[in-house]
Amino acid sequence: GDKYVREFKDGMMNGQGTYSYGKGEWEGDKYVGGYMNGNRHGQGTFTYANGEKYVGEYKDDMRNGQGTYTYADGGKYLGEYKDGLMHGQGTYTYADGTIEKGLWKNGKYVGE
């Protein structure tokens, strides 16, 4: 099953902790970082079983603020997130070296 190690407050995950996912959809994934009221919140690192990784800010259990997402194929996005999507200024470097730098909106590149 799932495993959470570290701080609780009022029966919910709060403060710094490590959550390892057991059987099911998220099996093998791991989050290390901040929690507030049971949700990922603050600075954290989410490592996916498929080799992908996100390092950055969370708010209300979603990627929000500055972060870096490294994809299994070697691509990497460095920039702003809103509600879990690339949103704001950012740079996506594809595995082949192609770079898209500029403004992102709702997960899509909209230009410089």
Side-chain angles (χ1 to χ4, degrees):
D2 295 353
K3 182 178 178 183
Y4 174 72
V5 179
R6 292 291 283 202
E7 302 173 27
F8 280 90
K9 181 180 175 187
D10 299 326
M12 291 188 279
M13 297 176 287
N14 273 288
Q16 294 296 305
T18 299
Y19 196 102
S20 300
Y21 294 83
K23 300 231 181 246
E25 179 182 355
W26 302 88
E27 185 174 356
D29 293 352
K30 182 178 181 178
Y31 173 76
V32 178
Y35 284 91
M36 181 184 283
N37 300 323
N39 293 316
R40 290 177 294 236
H41 192 91
Q43 195 68 26
T45 299
F46 200 115
T47 305
Y48 298 86
N50 68 1
E52 296 183 347
K53 185 176 189 176
Y54 172 77
V55 178
E57 298 176 68
Y58 283 89
K59 181 180 176 189
D60 299 325
D61 222 28
M62 294 184 164
R63 294 185 294 265
N64 274 288
Q66 289 292 320
T68 301
Y69 196 107
T70 304
Y71 294 85
D73 69 1
K76 182 185 276 190
Y77 173 79
L78 170 63
E80 296 177 90
Y81 284 86
K82 181 180 177 187
D83 298 330
L85 299 172
M86 297 176 284
H87 192 92
Q89 291 296 316
T91 301
Y92 192 108
T93 304
Y94 291 87
D96 69 3
T98 303
I99 296 174
E100 289 181 327
K101 184 176 182 177
L103 189 61
W104 297 77
K105 188 171 183 179
N106 297 321
K108 297 188 190 302
Y109 180 64
V110 295
E112 292 189 34

